Amino acid sequence: MSVSTETIPVRLARWEGVDKPFALLEAATARTPGPGELLVRIDLATVCGSDLHTVTGHRPSPAPSLLGHEQVGTVVGVGAGGVRCVDGTPVAEGMRVVWSVTASCGRCERCGRGLPHKCLRLRKYGHEPWSQRAPLNGGFATHCVVLPGTAVVAVPPGLPDAVASPASCATATVAAALDAAGPLAGRRVLITGAGMLGLTAAAMAATAGARVSAVDPDPERRAQALRFGAAEALDAGGEADGDGVADGGAARPGEVDVALDFSGRPAAVQRCLDALAVGGRAVLVGSVSPGPAVALDPERLVRGLHTVVGVHNYRPRDLDTAVRFLSERHRVFPFAALVAAAHPLERIEDAIAAARTGAAPRQAVAPQASSAAQVSSAARAASVSSAAQVSQVARTGVGG
């Protein structure tokens, strides 16, 4: 495909809907993005749990759409007016960056109250309807147009792509959860759900000086929790593994000062609420799709001086905290081992299928890698144009 010197070729794997194959599209986009925007080459993307919720139909999502919101990339274009990182550093071409899940307007009532992550005009990467006007708004593509109002953080040299990519969702969300939990030094912390977020929370909480009890029904996840700083790891029924308890901990964590749920399972949420000591705080993160209600005893809450907090999305400072933590601690905790070997973009179906098995906390997609794609010539799409100067010239209907 020939493109002019003012444009660059891009590819994307567009989700078409539940039980439908992804569509592999080729396009061209302007090398210089709009004012206040960035054009970023995506070097690695990871498949988040919310991507799985979407493709399996566990929550309503627009189709078609470009999924993916955990990624790391290299800036190839900076729009007029420039862009600054969260710490104030000007973004320059060639800079390696991660960016937030959300783009906020900065002007609405919620942004004014310090809630930019719940902006009234919020846009979310990997969650929006796909359109010809905004075709590069997710991570499962060779490039992304990063919008004004997005938090951008530079990735330090030496931080591997596989470690940096989850920062955009998993690590930053955990940073927000621990910020909501308050000071952790010397505190007893219960973590329910030892997937990507729970393991990250164990590492961050242990680093902050907490004694962490992790709960998960999967024995491999419990073993991983111990490697990520948990003092003890228990199954969902409260029984410890035979060799899964460090420093002689009891089979049940008992009362805790802080309880964090990353599983979204009603029984786990209930366990968090029931485990709180006087003055305890429960931070709920995993309940992001519809489910049954849990019981809340108001008298126990009042007499126990309990606090229950929900965390959804995160603030710019949380992304900065996430990258800083990973940079400082990725050699202490085996974060790179949580991400499986990358699939090329053409094999996005394989990455999704592997993610559904839970074989690794994260599956990866390497959009810059090449792979022979089996595409039916009958599925070629008609060309389109857009305000983003994208012209689609290719192919749909690629299965994994």
Side-chain angles (χ1 to χ4, degrees):
M1 179 181 67
S2 62
V3 294
S4 73
T5 56
E6 292 79 25
T7 63
I8 59 173
V10 299
R11 294 179 299 130
L12 59 129
R14 189 179 69 188
W15 180 66
E16 301 293 278
V18 178
D19 296 329
K20 295 181 180 179
F22 280 72
L24 184 67
L25 309 179
E26 290 181 356
T29 192
R31 187 176 190 89
T32 302
E37 296 179 344
L38 300 174
L39 180 63
V40 182
R41 182 191 73 215
I42 297 176
D43 299 322
L44 192 76
T46 39
V47 180
C48 179
S50 60
D51 294 317
L52 297 183
H53 292 158
T54 295
V55 299
T56 56
H58 289 169
R59 67 176 186 182
S61 299
S65 63
L66 180 59
L67 304 182
H69 54 273
E70 285 187 349
Q71 62 282 301
V72 58
T74 303
V75 177
V76 296
V78 181
V83 176
R84 291 185 178 272
C85 294
V86 172
D87 66 0
T89 303
V91 177
E93 290 188 17
M95 182 181 285
R96 196 157 150 257
V97 297
V98 292
W99 55 98
S100 57
V101 175
T102 60
S104 308
C105 75
R107 300 180 302 275
C108 71
E109 178 266 340
R110 290 182 186 172
C111 287
R113 287 197 291 126
L115 299 172
H117 49 312
K118 302 302 288 185
C119 171
L120 292 171
R121 301 177 183 88
L122 193 74
R123 288 171 290 181
K124 294 190 71 173
Y125 298 95
H127 295 73
E128 303 287 331
W130 187 88
S131 73
Q132 297 174 8
R133 295 185 60 189
L136 298 176
N137 60 356
F140 298 152
T142 58
H143 296 75
C144 182
V145 174
V146 177
L147 303 171
T150 303
V152 179
V153 174
V155 176
L159 188 63
D161 285 345
V163 178
S165 181
S168 295
C169 181
T171 324
T173 300
V174 171
L178 296 192
D179 183 60
L184 295 178
R187 300 295 182 91
R188 300 162 295 175
V189 174
L190 170 65
I191 294 173
T192 53
M196 189 73 188
L197 276 75
L199 294 173
T200 302
M204 294 182 81
T207 299
R211 186 185 190 281
V212 177
S213 299
V215 176
D216 196 282
D218 183 86
E220 175 55 31
R221 287 187 171 191
R222 295 197 297 273
Q224 286 180 325
L226 297 174
R227 293 192 287 270
F228 277 80
E232 61 182 2
L234 306 96
D235 67 25
E239 297 301 321
D241 296 334
D243 58 352
V245 181
D247 55 60
R252 291 183 180 274
E255 289 190 334
V256 298
D257 305 299
V258 174
L260 303 125
D261 176 63
F262 296 100
S263 73
R265 296 181 180 275
V269 173
Q270 191 70 60
R271 182 170 193 157
C272 286
L273 298 176
D274 293 345
L276 293 180
V278 171
R281 179 175 292 246
V283 182
L284 308 182
V285 183
S287 302
V288 293
S289 57
V294 298
L296 178 65
D297 182 346
E299 181 188 13
R300 185 172 185 276
L301 184 146
V302 169
R303 293 184 182 278
L305 306 178
H306 296 162
T307 302
V308 181
V309 180
V311 168
H312 186 240
N313 300 334
Y314 54 83
R315 295 177 174 88
R317 67 171 183 260
D318 299 314
L319 182 59
D320 192 54
T321 298
V323 173
R324 187 168 60 253
F325 175 80
L326 292 173
S327 179
E328 294 171 353
R329 295 288 174 168
H330 75 95
R331 291 183 178 88
V332 177
F333 302 105
F335 280 101
L338 301 181
V339 181
H343 302 262
L345 189 64
E346 291 85 351
R347 311 306 299 180
I348 183 68
E349 301 276 6
D350 293 344
I352 297 295
R356 293 178 71 171
T357 69
R362 283 293 185 269
Q363 295 292 324
V365 176
Q368 307 305 320
S370 61
S371 175
Q374 300 174 352
V375 183
S376 168
S377 60
R380 294 184 181 274
S383 64
V384 298
S385 62
S386 74
Q389 299 180 356
V390 175
S391 60
Q392 175 182 304
V393 297
R395 307 173 293 184
T396 62
V398 179

